[in-house]
Amino acid sequence: IGANLCALLAGTDDIDRVVVLDDLSSGRAENLDGLDVDLHIGSLLDPAAVDRAVRGSSAVVHLGARPSVPRSLEDPVASHAVNATGTINVLEAARASGAPQIIVASSSSKSGITRGLVAICRSGITRGCLSPLANPHLRIVRSASRSE
């Protein structure tokens, strides 16, 4: 998903620069081969790495997650750290850099919803969570959308 989004963004005339922060735990650098993107290898759990990646951006798209509901149940602390604390780090870095637009996208790995549509908009989340570890992530997104 991330590499496809990067290809789309990098091919858009109105976009000057695409920066990727990825720890490569579930993706590969080769997925970005041939794309005009700046790859920063690092973790969402490292606020300095997130700040460096976000600095100077006019928009931030946050796709990072520790995927797999079963994995989150096996190791809830690690999943919470990346999915909740990592999201806070992205939101804080975007706020500090003055990025006017933040898009947080997710899959059923965070929400646990495998059927239907999850709509995240200015008014908040329109469906609830099935995964117990998704609730903190959605509360963070809800809070951020209300603080505008």
Side-chain angles (χ1 to χ4, degrees), residues 87-135:
T87 297
I88 289 174
N89 289 344
V90 170
L91 295 173
E92 286 298 310
R95 178 171 47 186
S97 76
Q101 297 183 36
I102 303 168
I103 299 167
V104 178
S106 186
S107 70
S108 64
S109 292
K110 282 189 186 175
S111 68
I113 297 170
T114 57
R115 298 178 62 138
L117 175 67
V118 178
I120 300 176
C121 58
R122 289 189 185 276
S123 62
I125 308 300
T126 62
R127 297 238 354 227
C129 302
L130 300 180
S131 167
L133 295 172
N135 287 315

Side-chain angles (χ1 to χ4, degrees), residues 2 28 39 54 78 89 122:
R28 298 179 310 153
L39 174 61
V54 168
N89 289 344
R122 289 189 185 276

Side-chain angles (χ1 to χ4, degrees), residues 22-96:
D22 198 323
D23 66 5
L24 302 178
S25 62
S26 64
R28 298 179 310 153
E30 297 81 37
N31 292 341
L32 301 174
D33 284 352
L35 299 179
D36 186 18
V37 301
D38 298 326
L39 174 61
H40 295 236
I41 298 175
S43 172
L44 295 176
L45 298 176
D46 178 355
V50 178
D51 286 341
R52 284 190 298 275
V54 168
R55 190 175 304 130
S57 298
S58 59
V60 174
V61 179
H62 172 41
L63 303 177
R66 186 166 194 264
S68 173
V69 171
R71 196 166 140 191
S72 73
L73 296 172
E74 291 168 14
D75 189 355
V77 173
S79 292
H80 175 83
V82 172
N83 297 343
T85 303
T87 297
I88 289 174
N89 289 344
V90 170
L91 295 173
E92 286 298 310
R95 178 171 47 186

